[in-house]
Amino acid sequence: EQAKKVAELESTVDHYEDEIGTYLMKIGNAELSDEDSQSVSLILHCIGDFERISDHAYNIMESAEQFHNMKKKFSDKAKKELRVYEAAVKDIVDITFDAYDRSDIIKASRVEPLEEVIDRLNDEIKKKHIKRLRKGKCTIELGFVLSDLTTNFERVADHCSNIAARIVGKESEDDHFDAHEFRRNMHDGYVPNFNEMLAQYKLKYYTPLLESQETA
């Protein structure tokens, strides 16, 4: 039932992106104020990231269906790790969507440090899976499902970061705006308190993962 709902919503998002994108392209050719032009550019770029997030949600649903059909279970350890990862991804999605909805630059600036922690979570969970595989505590088949899940989680976070970068950099945005380059600038001190926010998110999500011990 939930899987069906995800599929329906993903199809709806595709339709909205097409309709909104077509409309924005039309009004983009009109004479707009600088502020309106910036808004059109922001929305036009962000709807692409929103659509990609829905694609990854669909992929996660397919992984869940595959896992269900296998009639197997992750180890308790893997479940705990995934819950931490899931919580971090839900957090970054909530922050990003709220920042976009409110055009809140301060809230948007919280996204990139969390995305960096999510990258580290992704790497750490893969390392832990390999250790379990070597000890015979997991299977290659389950590892494929885990890899699909973590990859889609990480890519959702990437698209959130793209959206946040465009919100933070809206005032400086032009036709040649590069969200990836701007994200690097955010790392290099463009966003105040970046390192403090990074430390907070590491403490909330990354540290518990590092401190967890393998079960016998």
Side-chain angles (χ1 to χ4, degrees):
E1 203 172 305
Q2 290 295 316
K4 183 180 178 181
K5 185 176 181 180
V6 171
E8 290 173 350
L9 285 171
E10 193 276 334
S11 179
T12 301
V13 171
D14 284 347
H15 171 73
Y16 282 150
E17 188 216 9
D18 183 53
E19 292 292 328
I20 295 170
T22 299
Y23 175 73
L24 290 173
M25 291 298 291
K26 287 180 179 178
I27 64 173
N29 293 324
E31 291 187 11
L32 302 174
S33 67
D34 288 343
E35 183 178 357
D36 286 343
S37 181
Q38 287 177 346
S39 295
V40 168
S41 180
L42 173 69
I43 298 169
L44 191 58
H45 284 95
C46 286
I47 59 173
D49 285 298
F50 287 137
E51 190 275 333
R52 292 299 294 140
I53 288 171
S54 77
D55 284 344
H56 292 301
Y58 186 89
N59 293 343
I60 291 167
M61 177 273 289
E62 287 191 318
S63 294
E65 284 190 323
Q66 179 187 358
F67 183 62
H68 175 75
N69 293 332
M70 288 168 61
K71 300 186 185 302
K72 293 184 178 181
K73 295 182 179 180
F74 285 127
S75 66
D76 289 341
K77 199 64 189 172
K79 289 179 184 177
K80 290 179 182 178
E81 292 164 7
L82 279 172
R83 287 191 194 106
V84 173
Y85 201 171
E86 289 165 8
V89 173
K90 286 179 181 178
D91 198 3
I92 200 170
V93 168
D94 288 344
I95 293 170
T96 301
F97 281 39
D98 193 43
Y100 178 84
D101 189 44
R102 300 170 183 269
S103 297
D104 189 333
I105 292 176
I106 294 176
K107 178 158 282 190
S109 69
R110 293 170 50 193
V111 172
E112 187 61 24
L114 178 51
E115 192 275 336
E116 184 170 311
V117 170
I118 286 173
D119 282 346
R120 298 185 187 190
L121 288 175
N122 194 55
D123 291 340
E124 191 63 29
I125 287 176
K126 287 180 178 178
K127 290 178 184 177
K128 287 179 178 291
H129 166 68
I130 292 172
K131 288 182 181 179
R132 283 193 292 271
L133 193 61
R134 288 173 178 169
K135 293 179 180 180
K137 296 180 179 180
C138 192
T139 66
I140 293 176
E141 192 176 17
L142 282 172
F144 286 141
V145 177
L146 181 67
S147 178
D148 286 343
L149 286 171
T150 57
T151 296
N152 280 288
F153 284 158
E154 192 271 334
R155 288 178 181 170
V156 166
D158 280 344
H159 288 292
C160 287
S161 186
N162 287 342
I163 294 167
R166 291 191 178 279
I167 296 169
V168 175
K170 182 180 178 182
E171 298 303 320
S172 62
E173 190 167 351
D174 55 37
D175 292 338
H176 304 290
F177 180 82
D178 187 330
H180 297 288
E181 182 179 353
F182 194 82
R183 284 168 59 183
R184 287 194 292 271
N185 292 336
M186 291 170 72
H187 282 263
D188 294 335
Y190 186 91
V191 174
N193 304 319
F194 182 93
N195 290 329
E196 289 85 347
M197 289 187 286
L198 178 64
Q200 290 172 0
Y201 285 125
K202 284 175 67 176
L203 187 63
K204 184 175 182 179
Y205 295 115
Y206 188 62
T207 301
L209 207 67
L210 288 181
E211 293 178 343
S212 63
Q213 299 296 319
E214 291 290 344
T215 55

